[in-house]
Amino acid sequence: MTTVSTLALTSASAGMAIADDAAPKLDPKFSLTLEGGFGRLDNAPSDKWGNYGPFSDKAGAGQDLAYTGAISLSRSVGENRDVRFGLAFGGNPSNMHSETSGYSSGGLGYSGSGTASTSVTNNFGFTAMDVDTGRSTATNFGNLTTFGGLRGLSSQANSTAAIDKTGNDTSSGGVGNYTAHVGLNTDSSFVGVGPRLGVGFVSKPFAGGFGVSAELAGAVVYGQRADHATIDKMGTTDASGAYGPVDLALDSTTESQIVKTMDAKASLDYHISDNATLSLGYQARQFWNVDYLSDPDNIGSAKNRLVDGAFIAFTTKF
């Protein structure tokens, strides 16, 4: 009886093992990517305001620190096809570039000598929501994916530039000691939606479990942009006391605008397992016509807004 029971149990166990081996293994349906990065916000306002010596030669001529983040969730909906939802954001910490120096020439209506200070702030932030569908094609080196969908975009930008002078007017009929301030302030916000197309590549793992990947996508976003630009002036003189503050409105409009965006990234990937990957790379996010200072209709030397830098990402499939 014992021998019969043992044979029966052995046969049952073998049958279960064969059944387990024969059962199809389901591929993961979902893929989740979490990403964070840091880098720079390029094209400070001084680069856009042309050959205004106090700005382009001094304060704000460089880049500002920037941060980025993203989350992406995709689901397989068929052979070599998936649907993806993505959320990306970025911006820069509060910043101010300033420089103080002596002068012995005219400016702001006065001639003489004294101290001049220039200052620039440059702030930009964005949130982008993408929904797209993609199709993958296997190659000898990896998977090539083309995708298309919609991008929703919201952005905010504000920039200031100011000149402050304190000195003594030595010109004919001078006013004696004086202080003077002139500042340019711009604020913009944009909200819109539009089509987005792109292509991506993920290589097969090579030696040591490493691989490479890259992605390039562009969007044309239709929406409304609100701009507000002013000049403010104030100061004091020995002759007439205080004057100002005086605010001069340059522009205050809300109009339909077309904003173009470009996203590019490339990374070195380490495949921890079949369903987990760690990536380290470089990315760039570029925006055209997204704010007052990047609109050539407002500023003749207008340039794009560019946020770029290094990123790290983790992808898991389940």
Side-chain angles (χ1 to χ4, degrees), residues 118-199:
T118 58
S119 62
V120 171
T121 64
N122 174 42
N123 298 300
F124 177 72
F126 72 91
T127 302
M129 183 180 297
D130 302 315
V131 179
D132 54 56
T133 180
R135 179 179 293 275
S136 298
T137 301
T139 71
N140 292 333
F141 305 100
N143 288 328
L144 180 67
T145 302
T146 56
F147 57 88
L150 291 175
R151 158 160 286 191
L153 176 65
S154 172
S155 69
Q156 305 80 36
N158 65 80
S159 301
T160 65
I163 302 176
D164 291 273
K165 285 193 173 183
T166 300
N168 183 268
D169 185 3
T170 58
S171 61
S172 176
V175 297
N177 295 320
Y178 69 89
T179 63
H181 164 87
V182 175
L184 172 62
N185 313 290
T186 65
D187 290 278
S188 298
S189 62
F190 175 82
V191 177
V193 63
R196 181 172 181 262
L197 297 173
V199 60

Side-chain angles (χ1 to χ4, degrees), residues 191-238:
V191 177
V193 63
R196 181 172 181 262
L197 297 173
V199 60
F201 175 77
V202 178
S203 76
K204 296 178 180 179
F206 43 83
F210 288 93
V212 295
S213 61
E215 184 173 293
L216 177 66
V220 180
V221 184
Y222 302 85
Q224 295 285 313
R225 197 184 76 209
D227 295 325
H228 185 62
T230 61
I231 291 178
D232 62 270
K233 299 173 64 177
M234 66 173 60
T236 62
T237 70
D238 283 349

Side-chain angles (χ1 to χ4, degrees), residues 208-267:
F210 288 93
V212 295
S213 61
E215 184 173 293
L216 177 66
V220 180
V221 184
Y222 302 85
Q224 295 285 313
R225 197 184 76 209
D227 295 325
H228 185 62
T230 61
I231 291 178
D232 62 270
K233 299 173 64 177
M234 66 173 60
T236 62
T237 70
D238 283 349
S240 58
Y243 67 89
V246 178
D247 292 326
L248 304 175
L250 296 179
D251 193 9
S252 184
T253 60
T254 300
E255 296 179 341
S256 297
Q257 298 286 348
I258 297 176
V259 171
K260 299 177 182 178
T261 72
M262 184 276 292
D263 303 319
K265 63 171 58 177
S267 66

